[in-house]
Amino acid sequence: MKRDISKIIEQMTLEEKASLCSGSDFWHTQAIERLGIPAVMLSDGPHGLRKQEGEGDHLGLNESIQAVCFPAACALACSFDTELAGEVGKTLGEECQAEDLSVLLGPAVNIKRSPLCGRNFEYFSEDPLLAGKMAAAYIRGVQSWDVGTSVKHFAANNQEYRRMTCSSEVDERTLREIYFPAFEIAVKEAQPKTIMCSYNKINGTYSADNEWLLNKVLREEWGFEGYVVTDWGAVSDRVRGIRAGLDLEMPSSGGVNDARIISAVKNGTLDEALLDQTVERILNVVFSYADHRHPEAVFDRDADHEKAVDAASECAVLLQNNGALPLKENIRVAYIGGFAASPRFQGGGSSHINASKITSALESAKEKGRGVTYAEGFPADRDELDEEKLKEALAAAENADAAVIFAGLPEILEGESYDRKNMKLPAAQNRLITEVAAVQPNTVVVLHNGSPVECPWAPSVSAVLEMYLGGQGVGEACDRILWGEVNPSGKLAETFPLRLEDNPSYLNFPGDGKTVHYAEGVYVGYRYYETKRQPVRWVFGHGLSYTDFSFSSLRLSTEEMNDEDKCLVTVDVTNTGSCFGKEIVQLYISDRTGTFGRPVRELKGFTKVALQPGETKTVAMTITARDLSYYHTELKDWYAASGTYAVQIGRASDDICLQKDLTFRTSKILPMTVDGTTTLGDLMANPKTASVLGQILSQAFGTSAENGNAGMESNDATAQATMMAMPLKSLASFAAMGEEQYQGMIAAFRAALQ
Ligand code: BGC
């Protein structure tokens, strides 16, 4: 059924229109009964439903209904599996229909700039392509049930410290290349019904008032069609917000902002047509849900719990293994650490789910009759080490054939509204791991955390398995992997630096409370570590398997391409080991044109492939000119210089197994302005100015200007380099030009560029 929304708007009074622009309470939109406009409910997300039937809050404090907690984005991203993200989305979409929720507030796609951001567990990656592709798949899944999503937090919300007022100071190129693309991909590939703007300012302007961000970039450039909702309480200037493209204020403004909107229309400072547009966008989304209810939808918590276990099994990353894993069925294993009995499976704050069921690794092992003993060693919720418990843990480890230590971050160290103070595990855990490893050669560490931790003990343990915050099924998923029922297939969606100080944002995070300068620019995550050759603990894209894979026969459909072309990249992947497994093929592009300021390589494609032992499959990915490009702020467009680019296939960001050169030719011409700082080299690089330069030099110095060498015939490379570096203002002084002659020269170059 197609409703005529404009007809409804025509019948609305100014007061009714204004009322629709903010919530009726903490979670609902406003109803206007006389026009048949229903109130619909929005709910957190993203990795489960936090539907609050009683008192609402945005901090995860009050009750919400029992729901199923899926792996948080930090874990889901490591699957590199867009199909899985889509399946999780579909399950959540059906749950929303069954619970009458019109919009699920997620996915959260902000980039992990620093390992310290308190909400990193809710975000996908340090890489925008991975974050964007996973988000788009999730959105398509949820929205396939006619339920909306809200991609958040737009934009540059990469820390919790003073998140509600701080200004993220980011240059445009960095925004376009690092902090925007996850949103851009989500909009272009999945058209989310809503976008949630962030609390913070961007370069001095609140996102909620930012016309460039909302109207220009989001709507005009990317084609976003839905409504923009504030983060809860993020409104700055309500009327300016409407002009900027902000639609729905949440939660309710208690009528205060309705009155402001009404008086702005009455006094002529707000065009009513803009208000109509806002109302139309809100109503479109309200009715796209209200008119498409699915009575067949059910929220089957038991069935969805099983899906959560399966999903978590796909997300685990085996970081290190000298053969201790998988554990052999007939050995005696000591499970140590509070997380074995009560795993940390989700983060704190607005995404907190009232989990319907939680499985621990210990319970799962017992249920399956495995030969496991348990010693608590340290508690899961604080940094504390009781000497007696340590002794028990050491004895248990010594008396077993292997020890598995379940370590991680207590919830108090990591959550919404605050950042971590350091990148360390609790000292008690570090000490216990070191002491256990000294008495038990087969020591395995399992990690439950939402963001990287320093692992100084890594060289002395046999294996490390990263489970992240894997949702309520994390314990059973962990059991499957430890004991070889499932072969781990995740890869890191972020780098684990050796120390916090190695992170590129270190000197500028989190800023002085008023501003935070993103001084590292585009060098975020592996873009920095790889370019700088900075040693790290585990690289972006790293993850081991119980089998082995080989890559061969890299082929490009073309070795030369221009702005409009596409290049199909294919590569064969073979499972050379002895068990079923999945490999993630990563495609990176490396600019070899000599252009300044480009990371050594950037991820431009990935595919997960499942292979039986001995099986080979061909994987195909496509490259476009955009994949070779950087954002040129003067051109105001994406630009790749003509020249050579390496197409690289890797198993991790530092492990490139195959590569081929691609020659690119662009017809885009970079804007050029000529003034006293323009060098002879700049002028030589542009054919239009090169010939004028030749004439000027021959007049000034009496040298010839034949064959485009602009009179610089010297064979002496040093002299040539010196000439090329010379700016026009210096040339004028060497050639003793008068003011008139100098201005004439500048004018001649400018004329040549017309
Ligand atoms: C969070 C959002 C959340 C909202 C509603 C805010 O504090 O930043 O992510 O959706 O609260 O709970």
Side-chain angles (χ1 to χ4, degrees), residues 213-478:
L213 187 73
L214 303 182
N215 272 345
K216 173 84 177 46
V217 175
L218 178 64
R219 290 214 164 85
E220 211 180 286
E221 294 184 24
W222 301 344
F224 174 63
E225 293 165 2
Y227 70 65
V228 176
V229 55
T230 59
D231 198 341
W232 265 230
V235 152
S236 158
D237 177 324
R238 188 62 186 101
V239 174
R240 200 181 327 147
I242 291 185
R243 281 192 221 105
L246 171 69
D247 302 307
L248 179 64
E249 171 184 4
M250 285 302 284
S252 164
S253 76
V256 173
N257 279 331
D258 300 8
R260 290 192 173 117
I261 295 170
I262 293 165
S263 78
V265 171
K266 286 190 173 157
N267 69 26
T269 51
L270 178 66
D271 184 351
E272 192 165 353
L274 284 182
L275 179 60
D276 288 353
Q277 222 175 49
T278 296
V279 168
E280 186 181 343
R281 290 183 196 128
I282 295 171
L283 288 181
N284 274 335
V285 176
V286 166
F287 283 115
S288 76
Y289 171 74
D291 289 342
H292 299 93
R293 297 305 317 282
H294 289 256
E296 79 282 13
V298 285
F299 188 171
D300 182 339
R301 288 166 177 78
D302 289 337
D304 293 356
H305 172 81
E306 293 309 317
K307 292 182 188 171
V309 177
D310 291 344
S313 311
E314 294 295 308
C315 301
V317 188
L318 182 61
L319 294 170
Q320 173 175 316
N321 187 20
N322 70 0
L325 292 181
L327 298 165
K328 318 274 170 309
E329 282 299 335
N330 49 0
I331 63 170
R332 295 164 306 151
V333 183
Y335 275 17
I336 297 169
F339 293 97
S342 47
R344 180 152 173 260
F345 61 95
Q346 66 173 332
S350 63
S351 67
H352 202 269
I353 306 301
N354 177 7
S356 61
K357 178 177 175 184
I358 303 158
T359 54
S360 75
L362 186 60
E363 249 177 285
S364 301
K366 284 189 179 152
E367 263 169 35
K368 291 185 185 172
R370 314 217 191 263
V372 161
T373 60
Y374 175 60
E376 187 192 12
F378 54 81
D381 59 354
R382 57 194 185 278
D383 186 2
E384 192 180 278
L385 193 58
D386 176 308
E387 292 301 320
E388 272 313 303
K389 288 191 172 164
L390 174 63
K391 271 193 209 147
E392 275 168 31
L394 290 172
E398 256 182 315
N399 292 329
D401 301 311
V404 182
I405 304 169
F406 292 78
L409 291 172
E411 183 162 334
I412 187 74
L413 292 184
E414 190 179 42
E416 182 172 339
S417 303
Y418 53 93
D419 296 315
R420 280 195 294 164
K421 297 203 166 34
N422 58 52
M423 220 182 89
K424 296 182 195 311
L425 278 173
Q429 296 187 26
N430 281 335
R431 182 173 155 210
L432 181 138
I433 295 170
T434 308
E435 295 198 15
V436 168
V439 298
Q440 173 50 262
N442 293 317
T443 295
V444 176
V445 177
V446 171
L447 290 171
H448 290 295
N449 46 306
S451 193
V453 288
E454 290 172 9
C455 302
W457 35 257
S460 55
V461 302
S462 302
V464 183
L465 177 64
E466 174 59 86
M467 294 304 298
Y468 275 108
L469 305 184
Q472 66 184 53
V474 72
E476 192 174 340
C478 184

Side-chain angles (χ1 to χ4, degrees), residues 247 314 367-368 456 492 516 526 549 582 638 661 691 728 752:
D247 302 307
E314 294 295 308
E367 263 169 35
K368 291 185 185 172
L492 284 181
V516 47
Y526 70 89
F549 301 96
K582 295 180 185 172
W638 295 91
D661 282 353
S691 66
L728 287 178

Side-chain angles (χ1 to χ4, degrees), residues 495-563:
T495 310
F496 272 54
L498 284 167
R499 317 168 302 162
L500 176 65
E501 292 85 341
D502 296 336
N503 177 261
S505 74
Y506 179 70
L507 295 176
N508 294 286
F509 183 95
D512 62 8
K514 291 200 171 74
T515 55
V516 47
H517 291 270
Y518 288 41
E520 69 284 0
V522 298
Y523 293 98
V524 173
Y526 70 89
R527 285 168 166 77
Y528 169 81
Y529 299 115
E530 288 303 312
T531 307
K532 183 83 190 320
R533 298 193 187 203
Q534 171 75 44
V536 300
R537 179 70 66 197
W538 293 295
V539 302
F540 172 87
H542 166 73
L544 304 172
S545 167
Y546 295 152
T547 186
D548 292 308
F549 301 96
S550 73
F551 294 77
S552 59
S553 310
L554 171 61
R555 300 170 297 268
L556 307 185
S557 63
T558 173
E559 282 173 12
E560 287 187 11
M561 84 186 240
N562 63 33
D563 298 301

Side-chain angles (χ1 to χ4, degrees), residues 171-183:
D171 67 82
E172 189 181 356
R173 179 181 162 200
T174 300
L175 284 173
R176 299 271 188 179
E177 290 182 32
I178 304 292
Y179 297 99
F180 280 178
F183 294 96

Side-chain angles (χ1 to χ4, degrees), residues 27 44 50 57-58 105 119 152-153 163 196 199 231-232 350 416:
W27 297 116
D44 282 315
R50 189 173 72 97
D57 73 276
H58 63 296
L105 300 172
R119 262 182 123 169
K152 61 191 189 184
H153 310 86
R163 66 171 167 154
M196 186 189 290
Y199 287 118
D231 198 341
W232 265 230
S350 63
E416 182 172 339

